[in-house]
Amino acid sequence: MRIRSTVTRAVIPVVALGLALSGCAGSDDGGGTGTAAVGTTNDINPHDVADLRDGGNLRLSVSGFPVNWNTLMVDGNEAPVASMARAMLPQAFRIDAAGNTTVNTDYFTSVELTKTDPQQVTYTINPKAVWSDGTPITWEDIASEAAAMSGRDKAFLIAGTVGFDRVEKVERGVDDRQAVITFSKHFAEWKAQFAGNGMLYPKSVTGTPEAFNKSLVDGLPVTAGPFQIQSIDRTQGRIVLGRNPKWWGATPKLDTITFSVQDVAADIPALQNNELDAAGVSNRDQLKTVEGIAGVAIRRTPATQWSHLTFNGAPGSILSDPKLRVAIMKAIDRQGIATAIHNGLVANPHPLNNHIYLEGQTGFQDNSLPYDPDAAARELDALGWKLNGDVREKDGRKLEIRDVMYQQDVWVQMAQIMQQNLARVGVKLNIETKPGTGFFRDWIQPGNFDVGQWTWVGDAFPLNGMPQIWGYDPNDLQGNYGRIGSPELNALIEQTISELDPKKAIELANQVDRKIWEEGHSLPLLQSPGIVAVKDTIANYGARGLATLDWTKVGFLK
């Protein structure tokens, strides 16, 4: 489901439902047979590279030009940017469909937790690894990124700290190709710092606030992956990635990857017209359409992305009272939304009932508040919001709220269901749709909404996004666009991400989730079933689930 999405360095925002080209366990069977739980498999048409032909152009789409190509920076913290950047930048670990990690030996010969008291992690860099300008990747690149992301210098407009605020120092190891990170406090998900939604940038980008915030506005000139940016054509709406001549790893099978910048509504028609090689599927009509396209396979694996509703609880906002937010949450029929949107796409449509864990991930449990419109009405009465005609009022102010979202049919359909739910209890919801380009920069980040709809895109490190989204510092919002939180929640988050025992961390994370529900921070709606239509000649690409893609192995069958 392609929704406007965002990434936290643990999670990313996206505007469009289904954007990340993910899918539900299974293959080419009919609609309505998948689940909405991440699992241990994915659906990427796996083939040995010997089965692939050399060359070719993979044609994909993206909903807007990046505002910034620095995914570490708040303006670049969007799923479309990250999906392109993963083909071009170092990551420390490869992740399989079950969420297990192995060292990405293209970039590192080893990454080890070498001490626990104090916690210390040693990164040994592949001696062949170089940036596309020919300079070697060294410990200084790691040290520079750690310093920029620490949050200590507020001039760096970071999307989230990803535990770098807990780094005491980064030192040179046995040589320039080794970095030793020492933590001042334990960090449970240290593997996430340069993996999942985290990437390593050159020190030329992370060395100063000016470079960090502005140097990648127009492109990504220095990379270190199998691909690099070949061209950006704003007139034609094209971003083309080509092979990186400095790449030292296995030669990619593809020559180029072309991203067409277009509205998501154009994707399925473009697939029909042989203008795209893959397209996300977000509703039953689209599924029926793509099932009728010759040479197209329906690939399914539950995606690490979920739609939700964020409340604006900033001081002075109409929803600043947590009791009001909770009452409104109880009036929204999330099961009704799941049935309306996912019926025919998955076998048992139901809402996502946890903020931290996706269904199917170890640690998931249902901590949600019940749908209870009668209780919601009573609570609104008790808060002094009294019915005056069809809409409640208090102190002369109508209970009328603005729902801001990306212009997409599925988003609007969800909002219309919520609009009807809330009208039943005397709350008026006004639907406002916005374009994809600049959606977060212009609307969400400034808090220009009462409730906002977008998709979070996570990864195999679910705890990593907690400080970014639900931790609250009024002077450093990171991804907490609703400006909601409490000292109690901050302390619980701190305790959770400091816990190195995985079982204890899961228990604490679910305490965090229950507290998020109690504060009325945000309302999870649907986990993406991840359905993507892909040309059946394409291998090692499609519905990836928790796994990372190996871009050297993506290609066309002989």
Side-chain angles (χ1 to χ4, degrees):
M1 293 172 41
R2 215 167 142 131
I3 308 176
R4 181 59 184 174
S5 349
T6 191
V7 190
T8 74
R9 274 291 311 283
V11 189
I12 307 176
V14 187
V15 291
L17 283 158
L19 171 137
L21 290 183
S22 7
C24 295
S27 53
D28 295 337
D29 48 0
T33 59
T35 72
V38 295
T40 59
T41 61
N42 60 9
D43 193 1
I44 61 170
N45 193 24
H47 277 268
D48 188 273
V49 291
D51 298 334
L52 308 185
R53 64 179 173 89
D54 290 324
N57 173 41
L58 180 65
R59 300 166 301 170
L60 306 175
S61 73
V62 66
S63 56
F65 282 103
V67 174
N68 195 309
W69 285 84
N70 182 359
T71 62
L72 313 178
M73 189 261 178
V74 65
D75 288 344
N77 182 44
E78 297 190 21
V81 189
S83 67
M84 291 185 280
R86 287 192 192 98
M88 300 185 281
L89 290 171
Q91 295 202 293
F93 294 95
R94 297 189 189 278
I95 303 168
D96 69 14
N100 300 314
T101 58
T102 55
V103 174
N104 187 340
T105 53
D106 280 336
Y107 298 107
F108 298 94
T109 57
S110 69
V111 182
E112 297 178 297
L113 179 66
T114 44
K115 281 186 183 179
T116 56
D117 191 20
Q119 184 178 353
Q120 198 169 78
V121 178
T122 300
Y123 289 81
T124 303
I125 300 164
N126 185 330
K128 297 179 181 178
V130 295
W131 298 107
S132 58
D133 63 2
T135 60
I137 298 174
T138 73
W139 75 277
E140 292 181 330
D141 296 301
I142 292 175
S144 180
E145 186 161 317
M149 298 298 290
S150 69
R152 297 183 186 101
D153 186 344
K154 301 304 180 186
F156 287 90
L157 302 180
I158 61 173
T161 60
V162 199
F164 287 115
D165 55 340
R166 312 166 86 81
V167 170
E168 179 181 322
K169 58 185 176 180
V170 181
E171 297 174 294
R172 182 179 184 269
V174 295
D175 56 25
D176 283 349
R177 295 287 193 162
Q178 189 175 77
V180 181
I181 298 180
T182 302
F183 292 82
S184 57
K185 294 182 287 187
H186 284 165
F187 181 48
E189 288 194 323
W190 56 271
K191 289 184 179 181
Q193 293 188 306
F194 301 103
N197 288 326
M199 283 162 263
L200 178 64
Y201 282 79
K203 62 183 180 181
S204 58
V205 171
T206 58
T208 67
E210 179 74 12
F212 186 89
N213 300 337
K214 298 179 180 179
S215 69
L216 301 187
V217 168
D218 296 320
L220 190 59
V222 179
T223 61
F227 290 90
Q228 63 183 12
I229 294 177
Q230 181 173 298
S231 64
I232 297 176
D233 188 332
R234 292 184 177 272
T235 302
Q236 296 294 320
R238 296 285 187 275
I239 299 169
V240 180
L241 310 187
R243 291 180 181 178
N244 173 11
K246 296 288 187 181
W247 174 245
W248 58 94
T251 302
K253 302 307 289 186
L254 295 170
D255 288 322
T256 53
I257 308 167
T258 298
F259 294 89
S260 294
V261 181
Q262 61 189 39
D263 189 275
V264 62
D267 286 357
I268 300 297
L271 183 67
Q272 285 180 296
N273 295 332
N274 194 30
E275 297 166 355
L276 288 182
D277 294 314
V281 175
S282 57
N283 59 51
R284 293 177 294 278
D285 290 339
Q286 289 183 347
L287 182 58
K288 184 177 180 180
T289 298
V290 298
E291 285 174 337
I293 304 175
V296 167
I298 311 302
R299 298 183 182 163
R300 309 165 181 269
T301 300
T304 57
Q305 63 187 75
W306 63 99
S307 56
H308 83 294
L309 195 69
T310 276
F311 295 89
N312 186 345
S317 68
I318 194 168
L319 299 178
S320 60
D321 184 349
K323 293 181 179 179
L324 174 59
R325 299 192 296 267
V326 168
I328 288 174
M329 287 166 60
K330 290 179 180 178
I332 294 174
D333 183 5
R334 296 185 306 125
Q335 179 58 55
I337 292 171
T339 300
I341 304 300
H342 278 177
N343 189 41
L345 298 180
V346 300
N348 178 30
H350 54 274
L352 177 63
N353 293 319
N354 194 297
H355 292 84
I356 311 297
Y357 294 102
L358 293 169
E359 188 173 345
Q361 276 187 315
T362 301
F364 174 85
Q365 66 184 45
D366 183 348
N367 298 315
S368 62
L369 296 176
Y371 168 56
D372 192 340
D374 294 334
R378 290 193 300 271
E379 290 170 20
L380 291 169
D381 283 334
L383 291 169
W385 290 98
K386 303 297 184 181
L387 272 176
N388 184 2
D390 293 331
V391 182
R392 293 177 181 270
E393 290 186 2
K394 181 179 180 180
D395 300 329
R397 188 179 192 181
K398 289 185 178 295
L399 191 45
E400 187 171 339
I401 56 180
R402 300 165 52 237
D403 184 0
V404 175
M405 74 203 74
Y406 175 60
Q407 172 59 58
Q408 186 191 18
D409 290 346
V410 177
W411 273 130
V412 173
Q413 186 181 358
M414 288 197 285
Q416 288 171 338
I417 295 170
M418 290 187 279
Q419 193 177 51
Q420 294 167 4
N421 295 159
L422 293 174
R424 176 179 171 182
V425 297
V427 180
K428 185 175 182 181
L429 183 73
N430 295 321
I431 298 171
E432 295 187 12
T433 59
K434 308 297 178 186
T437 299
F439 176 81
F440 289 101
R441 178 194 61 198
D442 298 337
W443 298 97
I444 302 304
Q445 291 172 14
N448 191 1
F449 64 95
D450 295 321
V451 293
Q453 291 179 226
W454 65 87
T455 303
W456 286 114
V457 179
D459 58 17
F461 308 104
L463 306 186
N464 206 19
M466 292 195 301
Q468 177 184 349
I469 306 175
W470 301 291
Y472 181 58
D473 177 351
N475 299 313
D476 184 16
L477 293 174
Q478 298 189 34
N480 190 343
Y481 303 128
R483 296 156 172 81
I484 295 169
S486 66
E488 295 78 15
L489 181 55
N490 285 352
L492 194 54
I493 290 171
E494 168 68 22
Q495 185 181 357
T496 305
I497 61 175
S498 299
E499 180 54 67
L500 296 183
D501 183 320
K503 290 184 178 180
K504 291 180 181 178
I506 286 172
E507 293 173 4
L508 289 167
N510 277 293
Q511 291 181 38
V512 170
D513 181 51
R514 286 190 286 272
K515 188 69 175 174
I516 294 168
W517 285 100
E518 290 171 8
E519 292 192 355
H521 179 283
S522 50
L523 187 66
L525 296 173
L526 305 177
Q527 182 171 335
S528 173
I531 302 174
V532 56
V534 187
K535 295 287 182 67
D536 59 13
T537 55
I538 296 170
N540 302 320
Y541 179 84
R544 64 183 180 88
L546 285 170
T548 51
L549 292 172
D550 185 341
W551 281 103
T552 67
K553 296 179 180 179
V554 176
F556 294 89
L557 294 170
K558 290 179 179 177

